[in-house]
Amino acid sequence: MDIKKKDIRALTKEQLRDFFVIEGDQAFRGNQVYEWLWSKGAHSFEDMTNVSKETREMLKSNFVINHIKVDQIQKSSDGTIKNAVRLHDGLIVESVLIPAKNRTTACVSSQVGCSLDCRFCATSRLKRMRNLNPDEIYDQVVVIDKESRLYHNRPLSNIVFMGMGEPLMNYNNVLKAIDKITSPEGLAMSPKRIVVSTSGVPKMIKKMADDEVKFKLAVSLHSAIDEIRTSIMPFNATFPLADLREALEYWYEKTKNRITYEYIVWDGINDTKNDVEALIKFCKFAPSKVNLIEYNPIDDGEFQQANSKAIDMYVDMLEANNITVTVRRSRGKDIDAACGQLANKA
Ligand code: SAH
């Protein structure tokens, strides 16, 4: 029966105000309810204590509040927490809290499954079922903010869209979620503390630039040589490096924001001098940062993390070319919560 009712959180504040006016009430009632839904995170109409019982009943007969439910929590020995989150239709996504010395980062999902086919990523083995709605993305952040306060005595400080899915293939909803996260009526977080990570969808990178978004961009590059990139990220055949590079130039031209590249070095795949030279050539046009991320094996052994000599070569050559480089250790591996390990296994 509830299926026919509309999710009240799909309404904008304006639409909610209009709804109350049509119902013969006053527009400000819409503001009150909106605040309950977003700033106060109400999960039921009963929670809305400054709204009359009659109005609550009326809302209940017209709408539902679809909210996520944490199905399972796993805690890693390093403090990382992974939430398996159940959506209103029973599908599951995962989100991760990553504590560090001076920050807590939420790694959130943007889709159920993923339509891309990166061969080293566990999520790519799940079929893309659907896009997440803005409220489903927002709720993951709210849950992690609460966990951060509970387990680490501080609010959430950063968000990365590096969970399941390709955020730029669910661009509108990701943008709406970020609007809520950054708005004073939501969590009032600074967009500078939000990173959207993409496998590289050129058209959407240009759209982000045109929309003058204020959050940061990270690109999962992994190789700056088409042939190699296509062999590990087959969609690169559709969005080749030249197109990606052109979109990034456009992004930099418009935003003047530094570009971050995520990059894993694998044994026998991209561990030669030639690979580093191609990377330098690719990213030199703008201030760049390369995060060399640790590979998290996803069991068939085809991909192996390169040895430290190869990593050192990358670091030395990038630094010699004035490209910022960091070597990132992965977190939460013991609970399959690290990058590329999210696959609803638990
Ligand atoms: N689709 C987006 C966001 C999800 S993936 C993107 O591609 O950026 C988040 C990051 O995890 C990406 O940089 C991705 O390349 C990386 N990743 C995927 N599988 C991994 C693995 N097995 N080990 C380490 N990092 C991985």
Short mmCIF file of all heavy atoms in Angstrom, two decimals, residues 120-121 161-163 165-167 197-199 220 222 262 264 293-296 298 339-340, ligand 1:
data_model
loop_
_atom_site.label_atom_id
_atom_site.label_comp_id
_atom_site.label_asym_id
_atom_site.label_seq_id
_atom_site.Cartn_x
_atom_site.Cartn_y
_atom_site.Cartn_z
N PHE A 120 39.83 -4.73 -11.52
CA PHE A 120 40.48 -4.92 -10.22
C PHE A 120 39.54 -4.56 -9.07
O PHE A 120 39.94 -4.53 -7.91
CB PHE A 120 41.72 -4.02 -10.15
CG PHE A 120 41.43 -2.62 -10.62
CD1 PHE A 120 40.89 -1.68 -9.76
CD2 PHE A 120 41.65 -2.26 -11.95
CE1 PHE A 120 40.58 -0.40 -10.19
CE2 PHE A 120 41.34 -0.96 -12.40
CZ PHE A 120 40.81 -0.04 -11.52
N CYS A 121 38.29 -4.23 -9.38
CA CYS A 121 37.38 -3.72 -8.35
C CYS A 121 36.25 -4.71 -8.07
O CYS A 121 35.57 -5.18 -8.99
CB CYS A 121 36.79 -2.38 -8.80
SG CYS A 121 35.59 -1.71 -7.63
N PHE A 161 33.30 10.34 -2.28
CA PHE A 161 32.39 9.49 -3.05
C PHE A 161 33.23 8.40 -3.70
O PHE A 161 33.51 8.44 -4.90
CB PHE A 161 31.61 10.32 -4.08
CG PHE A 161 30.47 11.07 -3.48
CD1 PHE A 161 30.68 12.26 -2.80
CD2 PHE A 161 29.17 10.58 -3.59
CE1 PHE A 161 29.62 12.94 -2.22
CE2 PHE A 161 28.10 11.26 -3.01
CZ PHE A 161 28.32 12.44 -2.33
N MET A 162 33.69 7.48 -2.85
CA MET A 162 34.55 6.40 -3.33
C MET A 162 34.00 5.04 -2.91
O MET A 162 34.72 4.06 -2.86
CB MET A 162 35.98 6.55 -2.78
CG MET A 162 36.69 7.79 -3.28
SD MET A 162 38.40 7.79 -2.77
CE MET A 162 38.87 9.46 -3.18
N GLY A 163 32.72 5.02 -2.58
CA GLY A 163 32.10 3.74 -2.25
C GLY A 163 31.64 3.06 -3.53
O GLY A 163 32.28 3.19 -4.57
N GLY A 165 29.77 2.35 -6.94
CA GLY A 165 29.15 3.10 -8.02
C GLY A 165 30.03 4.19 -8.61
O GLY A 165 31.10 4.50 -8.08
N GLU A 166 29.55 4.72 -9.72
CA GLU A 166 30.25 5.81 -10.40
C GLU A 166 29.41 7.08 -10.21
O GLU A 166 28.36 7.23 -10.85
CB GLU A 166 30.43 5.44 -11.89
CG GLU A 166 30.89 6.57 -12.78
CD GLU A 166 32.10 7.33 -12.25
OE1 GLU A 166 33.12 6.71 -11.89
OE2 GLU A 166 32.02 8.58 -12.19
N PRO A 167 29.89 7.98 -9.34
CA PRO A 167 29.06 9.15 -9.00
C PRO A 167 28.66 10.00 -10.21
O PRO A 167 27.56 10.55 -10.22
CB PRO A 167 29.93 9.95 -8.02
CG PRO A 167 31.25 9.28 -7.96
CD PRO A 167 31.12 7.92 -8.54
N SER A 197 34.92 11.18 -6.63
CA SER A 197 35.93 10.39 -7.35
C SER A 197 35.28 9.74 -8.57
O SER A 197 34.24 9.09 -8.46
CB SER A 197 36.49 9.33 -6.41
OG SER A 197 37.36 8.48 -7.10
N THR A 198 35.91 9.90 -9.72
CA THR A 198 35.33 9.33 -10.93
C THR A 198 36.35 8.50 -11.71
O THR A 198 37.53 8.77 -11.68
CB THR A 198 34.78 10.44 -11.88
OG1 THR A 198 34.28 9.82 -13.07
CG2 THR A 198 35.85 11.44 -12.26
N SER A 199 35.82 7.51 -12.41
CA SER A 199 36.66 6.73 -13.30
C SER A 199 36.99 7.55 -14.54
O SER A 199 37.84 7.17 -15.33
CB SER A 199 35.94 5.47 -13.74
OG SER A 199 35.56 4.75 -12.62
N SER A 220 40.25 8.43 -11.06
CA SER A 220 40.92 7.14 -10.92
C SER A 220 41.59 6.82 -12.25
O SER A 220 40.94 6.35 -13.17
CB SER A 220 39.90 6.06 -10.55
OG SER A 220 39.25 6.43 -9.36
N HIS A 222 45.05 5.24 -12.99
CA HIS A 222 45.70 3.91 -13.00
C HIS A 222 46.61 3.63 -14.20
O HIS A 222 47.48 2.76 -14.10
CB HIS A 222 44.68 2.78 -12.84
CG HIS A 222 43.85 2.91 -11.60
ND1 HIS A 222 44.38 3.12 -10.35
CD2 HIS A 222 42.50 2.91 -11.42
CE1 HIS A 222 43.42 3.22 -9.45
NE2 HIS A 222 42.26 3.11 -10.09
N GLU A 262 44.00 9.16 -8.65
CA GLU A 262 44.22 7.94 -7.87
C GLU A 262 44.89 6.93 -8.78
O GLU A 262 44.51 6.80 -9.95
CB GLU A 262 42.91 7.40 -7.34
CG GLU A 262 42.38 8.23 -6.20
CD GLU A 262 40.87 8.28 -6.23
OE1 GLU A 262 40.33 9.06 -7.01
OE2 GLU A 262 40.27 7.51 -5.49
N ILE A 264 47.00 3.05 -8.83
CA ILE A 264 47.56 1.85 -8.19
C ILE A 264 48.68 1.34 -9.11
O ILE A 264 48.50 1.34 -10.34
CB ILE A 264 46.51 0.72 -8.04
CG1 ILE A 264 45.29 1.23 -7.27
CG2 ILE A 264 47.11 -0.49 -7.33
CD1 ILE A 264 44.12 0.24 -7.25
N ILE A 293 47.73 4.56 -4.41
CA ILE A 293 46.98 3.81 -3.41
C ILE A 293 47.37 2.34 -3.41
O ILE A 293 47.73 1.78 -4.43
CB ILE A 293 45.45 4.01 -3.52
CG1 ILE A 293 44.91 3.66 -4.90
CG2 ILE A 293 45.07 5.44 -3.21
CD1 ILE A 293 43.44 4.00 -5.07
N GLU A 294 47.30 1.81 -2.23
CA GLU A 294 47.67 0.40 -2.05
C GLU A 294 46.59 -0.48 -2.68
O GLU A 294 45.40 -0.20 -2.55
CB GLU A 294 47.74 0.14 -0.54
CG GLU A 294 48.43 -1.14 -0.16
CD GLU A 294 48.40 -1.32 1.36
OE1 GLU A 294 48.42 -0.32 2.10
OE2 GLU A 294 48.34 -2.48 1.79
N TYR A 295 47.01 -1.52 -3.35
CA TYR A 295 46.03 -2.43 -3.96
C TYR A 295 45.46 -3.37 -2.91
O TYR A 295 46.19 -3.97 -2.13
CB TYR A 295 46.69 -3.24 -5.08
CG TYR A 295 45.73 -4.23 -5.69
CD1 TYR A 295 44.51 -3.80 -6.21
CD2 TYR A 295 46.01 -5.58 -5.72
CE1 TYR A 295 43.61 -4.70 -6.75
CE2 TYR A 295 45.11 -6.50 -6.27
CZ TYR A 295 43.92 -6.04 -6.77
OH TYR A 295 43.02 -6.93 -7.29
N ASN A 296 44.15 -3.48 -2.92
CA ASN A 296 43.49 -4.43 -2.03
C ASN A 296 43.04 -5.62 -2.85
O ASN A 296 42.13 -5.50 -3.65
CB ASN A 296 42.29 -3.77 -1.36
CG ASN A 296 42.70 -2.53 -0.59
OD1 ASN A 296 43.59 -2.59 0.24
ND2 ASN A 296 42.11 -1.40 -0.90
N ILE A 298 41.36 -8.66 -4.52
CA ILE A 298 39.97 -9.13 -4.50
C ILE A 298 39.90 -10.58 -4.96
O ILE A 298 39.13 -10.97 -5.80
CB ILE A 298 39.04 -8.22 -5.33
CG1 ILE A 298 39.57 -8.03 -6.75
CG2 ILE A 298 38.89 -6.87 -4.67
CD1 ILE A 298 38.53 -7.51 -7.72
N CYS A 339 39.15 0.35 -0.28
CA CYS A 339 38.81 0.71 -1.66
C CYS A 339 38.69 -0.53 -2.52
O CYS A 339 39.58 -1.38 -2.52
CB CYS A 339 39.91 1.55 -2.30
SG CYS A 339 39.93 3.23 -1.80
N GLY A 340 37.63 -0.60 -3.30
CA GLY A 340 37.50 -1.68 -4.27
C GLY A 340 37.07 -3.01 -3.68
O GLY A 340 36.90 -3.99 -4.39
N1 SAH B 1 33.77 4.88 -9.57
C1 SAH B 1 34.51 5.84 -8.81
C2 SAH B 1 34.40 5.69 -7.31
C3 SAH B 1 34.48 4.29 -6.71
S1 SAH B 1 36.04 3.48 -6.66
C4 SAH B 1 35.96 5.80 -9.25
O1 SAH B 1 36.33 4.95 -10.02
O2 SAH B 1 36.72 6.68 -8.86
C5 SAH B 1 37.02 4.34 -5.49
C6 SAH B 1 38.50 4.14 -5.70
O3 SAH B 1 38.92 2.82 -5.35
C7 SAH B 1 38.94 4.34 -7.14
O4 SAH B 1 40.09 5.15 -7.19
C8 SAH B 1 39.25 2.94 -7.58
O5 SAH B 1 40.14 2.93 -8.65
C9 SAH B 1 39.81 2.34 -6.33
N2 SAH B 1 39.83 0.88 -6.31
C10 SAH B 1 39.00 0.04 -6.95
N3 SAH B 1 39.33 -1.25 -6.70
C11 SAH B 1 40.39 -1.21 -5.87
C12 SAH B 1 41.18 -2.21 -5.22
N4 SAH B 1 40.91 -3.51 -5.37
N5 SAH B 1 42.19 -1.80 -4.43
C13 SAH B 1 42.42 -0.48 -4.23
N6 SAH B 1 41.72 0.50 -4.79
C14 SAH B 1 40.72 0.14 -5.61
#
